[in-house]
Amino acid sequence: MSLEKPPRQRYATDESVDYDAIEELLGEHVLGRETHTDTEAFVIRPDEVQDVLFALRDEAGFDHLSLLVPQEYEDRYESIYYLTKYDDRTQEVGIVVPTAKDDPVSQTAEPVYRTADWHEREAFDLVGIEYEGHPDPRRILLPETWQGHPLALDYDQDRPQIVTLAEHENPIADDHYDEDTDTMFLNIGPHHPATHGVLHLKTVLDGEQVVDVDPDVGYLHRCEEQMAQNGTYRHQIMPYPDRWDYSSQPTNEYAYARTIEDMADIEVPEYAQILRTMSAEFGRMMGHFLALGTFCLDIYGDFTAIFMYAIRDREKVQDILEDLTGQRMMLNYFRVGGVVWDVPEPREEFFEKIRDFLDELPVATQEYHDLITSNEIFQKRTVDTGVLDRETAKQYGVTGPVARGSGIDYDLRRDDPYGYYPELDWNVVTEEAGDNYSRLLVRMREVEESARIIEQCVDLLESWPEDDRQVQANVPRTLRPDPDAEIYRAVEGAKGEVGIYMRSDGTDKPARFKIRSPCFHNLHALPEMAEGEYVADLVASLGSLDIILGEVDR
Amino acid sequence: MSDTPKRTIHESSDPMTKTREARMGDVDSRFNSRLREAFGSSPFILTKFDQFMNWARGSSMFMLQFGIACCSLEMMHTYAVKHDLDRFGSGVPRASPRQADTIIIPGTIVSKFAPRMKRVYDQMAEPKFVVNMGSCAISGGPFQEGYNVVKGAEEVIPVDINVPGCPPRPEALLYGVVKLQERISQGESAPVTVKPYELEQFGDLEQDELTEKLADQIDTDDLIMRYNWADSP
Ligand code: SF4
C-alpha cells in the first residue's frame, strides 16, 4: 500500500496527451491556448466548431463529449467543450469557443456528438448562447414561455413569469396521418408511476408501437447550479450534492470533494480516503437496490414482493450509513479535505454490523436471482428489448451501468483513479447485449463488487493504527482559489460519470459551477432504445436507465 | 322540520345547514355532502352519521402515489417494510388521483410543475387532504432562493399538515399522517387558504408588457399560472 495519492500521470508517460500534436492537428483553427487546472484547452472561432471537433474525434480519438460549459463573462460569452476518450479517461482536452456579447451565436456540435443536442439546448436555456444549425433549438429545463436566461449576468430574478398548462399537440400528426395508419398521442407523466419522478414523455403510438418519444424534462429544475454559485467552497456547497442524485448521496459528495481538492491542492489523509471509499460504495448499493426494486415495479407492477425485498436491503444500508453519519438520507458526510468524523464507537459493533450485512448479502442476491433474473416472464420482457448498441451509446455520452450494459468498459474508479480504489481488488462489470436485461445484471453484479470493496475497507479500518486515524486534512477556513482557475473533474457515481466544472474569480464562492449529470445523458438516449418497440417496453427501458430526476434537472 | 318533503331539501338546505352547524361546531365546508343533507332532516341520525363518516374517512385514507423529489424516497420507505404505513389504515397508494383523497407532497415544486400539481389535486375525490412532506414543500427548503422554485405547496393548493425535515424520517411522516387522521376523525381540517398562484385563462390577465410579448405564443383560452416572484415570501 502506498501512502501517496495515485499520481495523475498525464503529462509524464507515453500515453499522455501530446497537446502540441493536437495544436498542430488543429492548425490555424487555434486562436490561443489556455491551461486549466487539469487540462489544456484551445480557443477556436465560433464558426469552426464542427471542423475542430470532427478532427479531434476522428483523428485524435476523442470520442466522448463529457461536458459543455456555457457561461457569460463581462465582455463575452463562452462555451467550453470538455472532450475525453472512452478508452482512456485520463486523456482530456478542452475546446473554448468565445462568442461576442451582442451576438452570442456559435456553431452546433450536434453532428459530431449527438449528446451535444441536449447540452446545447440547456446552454441556450440557462445562459442564452445560441447554436447555429441546432436541430431542435427549444428550451429544455425551463418552460417554453420563460423570459430571460437565469444564469446570464443581467438576469433579474424578481421578474414575473407565466407558465402555460396547454394541451399537447401530436408532434407528428401531419406526416403520419393517413387513412390506414392512425397514430395516437399519449402523454406519460409528469405525474405517473412509471416515470420515476416528475418526467413527461410525449409519446406517439401506432397501435401499441412507439413511433416517437420526446422526453420533456425540467419539472424538478431546482436551480442547483445557482445554489452552488451562491455558496462558499468550504462549507456551503457540500450539502447540495446530496440532493442531485438523492438515491446514492455519497458518490455525489465525492464529485464535489474531488473537484475542490484538486482545485485548491489539498491532500486528503489516507484514513479519510478509506472512509470515503467505503461510504461511496454503500451509496452505490443504495442506488442499485432502489433501481432494482423500481425496475421490477415497472415490469411486474409488483409492489408486494420484490420491491419490498429491495427496500428491505436498502433499509439495512441506510441504517449503517445512519450510524456512520447521523442522517438517513442527506448524509453530508464528506468535508473538504476529509470526512466529518470517524466511525462510531464502539468500533467493533459498527464493523460487526457491516460484516453481518455483507454475510447476508449473497443469500439476498440469490433470492433476487431466483425471483427476477431466472424468471421466464421477466426474461421475456427484458431480453432483447430496449437495445442500445455500443456506438450509439457513445454518441449520446452514456456512462455508468447503462454504458457497461452496452459493453463499454468504462469506469472512472479504475480509469481515472481517485480515493482508495487503486489499492483495492475489484472488477469492472460489463455485459455485451445492451438490452434491458443486461443493464439490470450489471447493477446486480456491481452490488457484489461494492461488497468486496467494502469488505477490504473494513479490514483496513479495523487494523489502522490508532494514532494515525486522521479524518481531516488541514484546510484554511476560507478557500480562495486563484482567480480564473478553471477545473473539470468527475467521479463514478451510481448512475455514471458525475462531473463538476468550477471557475474561480478569486473570491470564496465559485463564479461558475456546472454539473455534469450522468442521468441527463442516459435519458437522452431513451428514444434510440424505445422507438419501434411496444409501449410496455418503453416503460421497461426507462426503468432500466435508472434515472433520478433531481439529477436530470438539477 | 322532519316533515318537509325531501325534494325541497335539494332546493334549499339552509335551515338544515344551520342546525347541523350548531350541532357540529365550526366545521369546514369541505365535509358537506348530499348524503348529509338528506340525513340532516333527522337530527338524531345526523349527529351520529357525521361522526361516523369522519371516523370512516380518517380510518381508510386513500393515498395518491405521488413522488416529486428526494423526500419521495423516504415516503416509499414509509409505505414499505419496517415502517408500513398501511397498518394505520392509510393504505396502499393509488395510482390515479380519481381514486385518492389524500396527497403527500414529497419534494420541491418548481414553476413548470406547479400547474400540473394543481391539476392533479383538482382531480382528486372530495373531501381531500394534503400532507406537506419536507421543507421544500413547506417553504422551498434549501432551494428557496432559486429562480424557479415555488416557495411551498401552500402557494398553489391548501395544506392540512406540515411534516418538517429534509427529508423527514419515515417515522416523522407516519406521525404526520396519523395526526391528520386524528384530526379528520374529529371533523377538523385546515381552512382553504388564499392561493397566490391560481390557474387562470391567459385572456383574463391584465395587459402588460409580458402578456403582450407572449400574446402570439399563448392562446387566450389556455390555462396559465402567473408567478410574481418579487411578491412571494
Ligand atoms: S425537503 Fe430536502 S429531502 Fe425533501 S425534497 Fe426538499 S431537498 Fe429533498
Side-chain angles (χ1 to χ4, degrees):
Chain A
M1 248 167 280
S2 88
L3 286 170
E4 281 152 53
K5 227 164 105 177
R8 301 177 51 83
Q9 299 175 319
R10 213 145 346 129
Y11 307 98
T13 66
D14 296 340
E15 294 150 33
S16 72
V17 193
D18 184 349
Y19 288 110
D20 295 331
I22 290 178
E23 190 164 356
E24 212 163 283
L25 170 73
L26 300 181
E28 56 196 35
H29 292 306
V30 177
L31 301 181
R33 188 164 155 173
E34 293 177 1
T35 303
H36 294 183
T37 310
D38 263 65
T39 181
E40 292 278 298
F42 299 95
V43 185
I44 63 162
R45 285 167 53 97
D47 54 353
E48 290 172 349
V49 175
Q50 285 178 20
D51 290 344
V52 170
L53 294 185
F54 269 125
L56 284 169
R57 186 190 79 181
D58 297 335
E59 319 219 343
F62 287 96
D63 57 353
H64 180 25
L65 170 57
S66 187
L67 180 72
L68 164 61
V69 186
Q71 54 185 327
E72 186 182 0
Y73 285 84
E74 290 300 334
D75 60 339
R76 65 180 190 279
Y77 284 90
E78 204 175 86
S79 321
I80 312 177
Y81 295 85
Y82 279 102
L83 308 176
T84 174
K85 299 180 180 179
Y86 274 105
D87 291 336
D88 182 358
R89 181 57 174 78
T90 53
Q91 300 200 22
E92 289 168 292
V93 61
I95 297 296
V96 182
V97 191
T99 46
K101 193 86 174 178
D102 50 352
D103 182 28
V105 184
S106 158
Q107 195 181 33
T108 177
E110 193 269 343
V112 196
Y113 304 100
R114 257 303 273 146
T115 177
D117 180 346
W118 278 26
H119 274 302
E120 288 174 354
R121 274 175 71 187
E122 188 190 319
F124 168 71
D125 195 353
L126 299 185
V127 180
I129 304 176
E130 285 171 47
Y131 292 88
E132 202 175 3
H134 192 283
D136 188 16
R138 284 178 293 150
R139 283 181 178 271
I140 187 164
L141 295 175
L142 292 168
E144 267 301 293
T145 51
W146 200 263
Q147 300 298 307
H149 305 279
L151 296 182
L153 293 180
D154 64 348
Y155 183 74
D156 167 16
Q157 199 165 325
D158 285 340
R159 82 178 85 187
Q161 298 282 354
I162 289 177
V163 175
T164 57
L165 182 66
E167 298 287 325
H168 293 287
E169 283 169 34
N170 184 342
I172 61 158
D174 292 337
D175 38 315
H176 271 246
Y177 187 78
D178 66 45
E179 309 299 71
D180 309 324
T181 61
D182 200 359
T183 60
M184 176 172 90
F185 177 71
L186 182 73
N187 278 314
I188 305 179
H191 159 242
H192 189 281
T195 52
H196 297 234
V198 281
L199 167 70
H200 176 203
L201 296 176
K202 300 179 187 170
T203 323
V204 181
L205 303 180
D206 180 1
E208 278 293 288
Q209 248 173 348
V210 179
V211 193
D212 184 77
V213 46
D214 178 15
D216 176 19
V217 300
Y219 294 96
L220 192 54
H221 176 57
R222 303 191 277 192
C223 330
E224 301 266 15
E225 286 168 13
Q226 184 199 38
M227 295 292 108
Q229 275 161 220
N230 292 345
T232 54
Y233 294 105
R234 184 74 170 89
H235 290 299
Q236 290 176 349
I237 295 178
M238 194 54 96
Y240 283 101
D242 283 328
R243 289 158 176 86
W244 304 340
D245 173 0
Y246 42 72
S247 76
S248 65
Q249 294 79 3
T251 50
N252 298 318
E253 293 181 14
Y254 221 141
Y256 175 63
R258 181 173 191 205
T259 312
I260 181 65
E261 280 150 16
D262 276 11
M263 193 175 196
D265 210 5
I266 296 166
E267 278 289 331
V268 182
E270 204 179 352
Y271 186 70
Q273 300 264 27
I274 304 173
L275 283 170
R276 282 181 170 192
T277 308
M278 181 181 79
S279 59
E281 289 313 306
F282 274 126
R284 193 178 316 279
M285 280 185 165
M286 278 207 309
H288 285 353
F289 282 137
L290 184 79
L292 183 93
T294 49
F295 186 46
C296 292
L297 193 61
D298 288 342
I299 291 203
Y300 302 112
D302 183 352
F303 192 68
T304 42
I306 303 171
F307 181 77
M308 296 293 172
Y309 276 67
I311 292 285
R312 174 200 66 188
D313 287 329
R314 194 169 190 273
E315 190 80 54
K316 287 183 191 162
V317 181
Q318 277 197 322
D319 224 31
I320 294 173
L321 283 179
E322 187 183 341
D323 285 352
L324 181 65
T325 65
Q327 242 283 30
R328 267 171 67 86
M329 249 184 97
M330 298 309 169
L331 313 172
N332 201 2
Y333 182 57
F334 285 42
R335 291 289 180 276
V336 178
V339 294
V340 58
W341 45 51
D342 199 352
V343 301
E345 295 288 348
R347 293 167 70 91
E348 305 74 42
E349 221 169 88
F350 179 69
F351 292 132
E352 200 182 301
K353 193 167 182 177
I354 298 181
R355 287 239 161 78
D356 285 348
F357 168 72
L358 294 179
D359 287 346
E360 286 164 22
L361 196 65
V363 182
T365 322
Q366 193 48 48
E367 265 169 7
Y368 290 126
H369 281 296
D370 291 346
L371 275 165
I372 309 170
T373 50
S374 57
N375 179 326
E376 217 170 301
I377 301 171
F378 185 86
Q379 291 176 358
K380 272 261 179 310
R381 289 286 316 276
T382 53
V383 174
D384 276 342
T385 60
V387 179
L388 183 69
D389 67 70
R390 185 191 292 240
E391 287 317 307
T392 318
K394 287 183 177 175
Q395 270 286 309
Y396 280 89
V398 164
T399 51
V402 182
R404 291 194 284 277
S406 295
I408 301 173
D409 190 11
Y410 180 75
D411 189 322
L412 265 73
R413 288 174 289 171
R414 179 200 59 199
D415 299 342
D416 184 12
Y418 58 95
Y420 215 71
Y421 291 108
E423 319 289 333
L424 305 173
D425 179 29
W426 57 283
N427 294 318
V428 176
V429 177
T430 55
E431 285 285 329
E432 290 301 318
D435 56 8
N436 292 338
Y437 190 68
S438 50
R439 286 187 278 276
L440 178 87
L441 269 189
V442 167
R443 289 202 186 91
M444 289 181 66
R445 286 170 50 202
E446 268 185 25
V447 168
E448 291 166 28
E449 294 298 328
S450 294
R452 275 176 73 187
I453 298 179
I454 291 171
E455 202 171 357
Q456 296 170 53
C457 289
V458 171
D459 288 343
L460 284 164
L461 292 174
E462 252 181 341
S463 58
W464 209 261
E466 196 166 342
D467 26 333
D468 197 21
R469 291 184 197 149
Q470 201 195 341
V471 294
Q472 263 277 358
N474 235 342
V475 182
R477 187 178 289 252
T478 318
L479 285 175
R480 283 198 189 80
D482 301 335
D484 268 330
E486 295 177 66
I487 187 167
Y488 172 58
R489 279 272 125 262
V491 301
E492 185 72 27
K495 317 287 186 279
E497 181 178 338
V498 197
I500 292 170
Y501 163 89
M502 285 197 292
R503 174 167 63 86
S504 154
D505 55 0
T507 63
D508 57 352
K509 296 174 181 174
R512 180 79 173 100
F513 189 98
K514 176 90 188 74
I515 308 158
R516 184 211 198 262
S517 124
C519 292
F520 187 69
H521 307 286
N522 295 354
L523 178 62
H524 189 195
L526 179 69
E528 293 285 340
M529 301 156 64
E531 281 170 17
E533 303 259 9
Y534 292 120
V535 64
D537 297 333
L538 164 72
V539 170
S541 302
L542 183 65
S544 78
L545 287 178
D546 182 24
I547 49 163
I548 289 288
L549 268 303
E551 196 182 61
V552 174
D553 293 348
R554 282 152 290 141
Chain B
M1 255 295 230
S2 52
D3 54 357
T4 324
K6 286 264 153 82
R7 267 186 55 228
T8 59
I9 294 174
H10 287 270
E11 273 142 33
S12 160
S13 60
D14 284 351
M16 252 59 64
T17 317
K18 256 195 199 133
T19 353
R20 190 178 61 241
E21 273 170 5
R23 209 168 284 123
M24 287 279 297
D26 200 12
V27 172
D28 194 286
S29 63
R30 278 191 286 164
F31 282 90
N32 264 334
S33 68
R34 285 269 175 228
L35 201 57
R36 188 188 293 125
E37 276 174 23
F39 275 104
S41 55
S42 152
F44 178 70
I45 295 181
L46 173 81
T47 315
K48 290 296 181 199
F49 187 73
D50 265 8
Q51 286 179 357
F52 172 76
M53 278 303 279
N54 290 339
W55 170 78
R57 254 174 212 140
S59 321
S60 67
M61 319 251 307
F62 288 78
M63 311 295 255
L64 182 68
Q65 185 175 345
F66 190 71
I68 306 180
C70 357
C71 276
S72 52
L73 292 195
E74 287 294 66
M75 184 184 72
M76 281 156 68
H77 278 264
T78 318
Y79 284 126
V81 281
K82 186 164 172 191
H83 300 101
D84 189 18
L85 189 59
D86 200 13
R87 69 201 145 117
F88 298 103
S90 33
V92 175
R94 325 293 292 188
S96 159
R98 317 241 180 226
Q99 302 171 344
D101 66 357
T102 309
I103 182 172
I104 299 177
I105 313 281
T108 326
I109 299 140
V110 303
S111 67
K112 200 170 170 181
F113 190 60
R116 274 86 188 164
M117 184 177 84
K118 171 120 178 66
R119 174 173 279 180
V120 170
Y121 173 79
D122 288 344
Q123 287 173 344
M124 281 166 46
E126 293 270 5
K128 45 195 163 191
F129 308 95
V130 178
V131 180
N132 250 359
M133 180 182 184
S135 19
C136 282
I138 294 170
S139 66
F143 305 100
Q144 211 209 20
E145 268 151 41
Y147 47 80
N148 188 30
V149 174
V150 175
K151 286 139 195 71
E154 203 142 17
E155 309 271 303
V156 184
I157 57 176
V159 168
D160 290 280
I161 202 157
N162 288 306
V163 184
C166 179
R169 299 175 59 94
E171 293 89 333
L173 181 62
L174 263 179
Y175 181 76
V177 171
V178 171
K179 267 281 167 235
L180 176 69
Q181 288 178 292
E182 241 174 73
R183 286 172 46 182
I184 293 172
S185 48
Q186 287 166 13
E188 293 169 30
S189 79
V192 176
T193 46
V194 183
K195 291 158 271 175
Y197 303 147
E198 273 283 13
L199 284 177
E200 49 193 327
Q201 285 190 332
F202 183 65
D204 293 347
L205 283 186
E206 229 177 88
Q207 292 297 307
D208 62 8
E209 209 182 319
L210 183 61
T211 44
E212 267 163 41
K213 213 174 198 170
L214 291 168
D216 51 337
Q217 290 177 43
I218 304 178
D219 248 22
T220 43
D221 45 359
D222 271 359
L223 286 180
I224 54 108
M225 201 171 257
R226 185 188 160 90
Y227 299 98
N228 192 346
W229 300 112
D231 289 350
S232 70

